[in-house]
Amino acid sequence: EDADTVEIKRMYVREHARRTGVARALLAALEQQARAFGYKRIILETGTPQAAAVRLYESAGYARIAPYGLWADDPLTACFGKTLEG
Protein backbone atom coordinates (compact mmCIF):
# COMPACT_ATOMS: atom_id res chain seq x y z
CA GLU A 1 0.00 0.00 0.00
CA ASP A 2 1.64 3.24 1.19
CA ALA A 3 3.31 4.88 4.18
CA ASP A 4 -0.06 5.93 5.67
CA THR A 5 -1.40 2.36 5.70
CA VAL A 6 -0.75 -0.36 8.25
CA GLU A 7 -1.77 -4.01 7.95
CA ILE A 8 -3.12 -6.23 10.69
CA LYS A 9 -1.51 -9.56 9.86
CA ARG A 10 -3.12 -11.91 12.36
CA MET A 11 -5.65 -11.57 15.10
CA TYR A 12 -6.64 -14.65 17.05
CA VAL A 13 -8.84 -15.16 20.09
CA ARG A 14 -8.86 -18.54 21.82
CA GLU A 15 -12.12 -20.39 21.60
CA HIS A 16 -13.01 -20.04 25.30
CA ALA A 17 -12.74 -16.23 25.03
CA ARG A 18 -14.81 -15.82 21.87
CA ARG A 19 -18.08 -13.91 22.00
CA THR A 20 -16.92 -12.06 25.12
CA GLY A 21 -15.83 -8.79 23.49
CA VAL A 22 -12.13 -9.65 23.52
CA ALA A 23 -11.77 -9.49 19.72
CA ARG A 24 -13.55 -6.13 19.51
CA ALA A 25 -11.38 -4.73 22.32
CA LEU A 26 -8.22 -6.04 20.67
CA LEU A 27 -9.23 -4.51 17.34
CA ALA A 28 -9.97 -1.15 19.01
CA ALA A 29 -6.57 -1.24 20.74
CA LEU A 30 -4.82 -1.97 17.44
CA GLU A 31 -6.65 0.94 15.82
CA GLN A 32 -5.68 3.25 18.69
CA GLN A 33 -2.04 2.21 18.42
CA ALA A 34 -2.08 2.70 14.64
CA ARG A 35 -3.40 6.25 15.15
CA ALA A 36 -0.69 6.91 17.75
CA PHE A 37 1.94 5.89 15.19
CA GLY A 38 0.40 8.26 12.65
CA TYR A 39 -1.26 5.76 10.32
CA LYS A 40 -4.36 6.91 8.45
CA ARG A 41 -5.67 3.55 7.25
CA ILE A 42 -5.75 -0.10 8.31
CA ILE A 43 -6.07 -3.05 5.96
CA LEU A 44 -6.44 -6.74 6.76
CA GLU A 45 -7.30 -10.11 5.29
CA THR A 46 -9.41 -12.97 6.53
CA GLY A 47 -10.88 -16.04 4.91
CA THR A 48 -14.47 -16.11 3.73
CA PRO A 49 -15.07 -19.25 5.86
CA GLN A 50 -14.38 -17.12 8.98
CA ALA A 51 -17.91 -15.69 9.10
CA ALA A 52 -17.52 -14.39 12.67
CA ALA A 53 -14.39 -12.47 11.70
CA VAL A 54 -16.12 -11.00 8.65
CA ARG A 55 -19.04 -9.86 10.85
CA LEU A 56 -16.64 -8.35 13.40
CA TYR A 57 -14.76 -6.30 10.82
CA GLU A 58 -17.91 -5.12 9.05
CA SER A 59 -19.55 -4.12 12.35
CA ALA A 60 -16.36 -2.23 13.32
CA GLY A 61 -16.58 -0.07 10.20
CA TYR A 62 -14.30 -1.97 7.85
CA ALA A 63 -15.30 -2.09 4.18
CA ARG A 64 -14.40 -4.76 1.67
CA ILE A 65 -11.46 -3.89 -0.55
CA ALA A 66 -9.88 -5.67 -3.48
CA PRO A 67 -7.72 -8.64 -2.49
CA TYR A 68 -4.06 -7.67 -2.28
CA GLY A 69 -0.63 -9.25 -1.97
CA LEU A 70 -0.57 -13.00 -1.47
CA TRP A 71 -4.37 -13.09 -1.57
CA ALA A 72 -4.86 -11.26 -4.87
CA ASP A 73 -6.00 -14.42 -6.66
CA ASP A 74 -7.43 -16.37 -3.72
CA PRO A 75 -11.18 -16.96 -4.10
CA LEU A 76 -11.55 -17.67 -0.36
CA THR A 77 -10.14 -14.37 0.85
CA ALA A 78 -11.95 -11.34 2.19
CA CYS A 79 -9.89 -8.16 2.46
CA PHE A 80 -11.02 -5.09 4.40
CA GLY A 81 -9.90 -1.52 4.90
CA LYS A 82 -10.79 1.27 7.29
CA THR A 83 -9.84 4.94 7.34
CA LEU A 84 -8.84 5.98 10.85
CA GLU A 85 -10.46 9.11 12.22
CA GLY A 86 -8.73 11.48 14.60
Side-chain angles (χ1 to χ4, degrees):
E1 286 284 325
D2 59 48
D4 290 330
T5 302
V6 66
E7 179 181 16
I8 296 173
K9 289 298 281 182
R10 294 286 176 266
M11 197 170 92
Y12 180 80
V13 175
R14 291 181 183 251
E15 193 168 340
H16 73 273
R18 292 179 187 161
R19 304 193 67 72
T20 65
V22 169
R24 189 169 301 281
L26 179 57
L27 186 59
L30 289 169
E31 290 176 2
Q32 182 179 12
Q33 193 63 53
R35 279 187 205 91
F37 282 121
Y39 291 104
K40 308 279 189 250
R41 186 167 183 250
I42 294 182
I43 60 172
L44 58 88
E45 180 274 340
T46 191
T48 54
Q50 280 68 46
V54 170
R55 286 192 302 274
L56 169 67
Y57 299 132
E58 289 175 340
S59 70
Y62 287 76
R64 292 246 184 164
I65 60 173
Y68 60 90
L70 297 173
W71 306 283
D73 297 320
D74 186 343
L76 297 178
T77 196
C79 293
F80 292 88
K82 180 177 180 178
T83 300
L84 298 173
E85 303 294 327

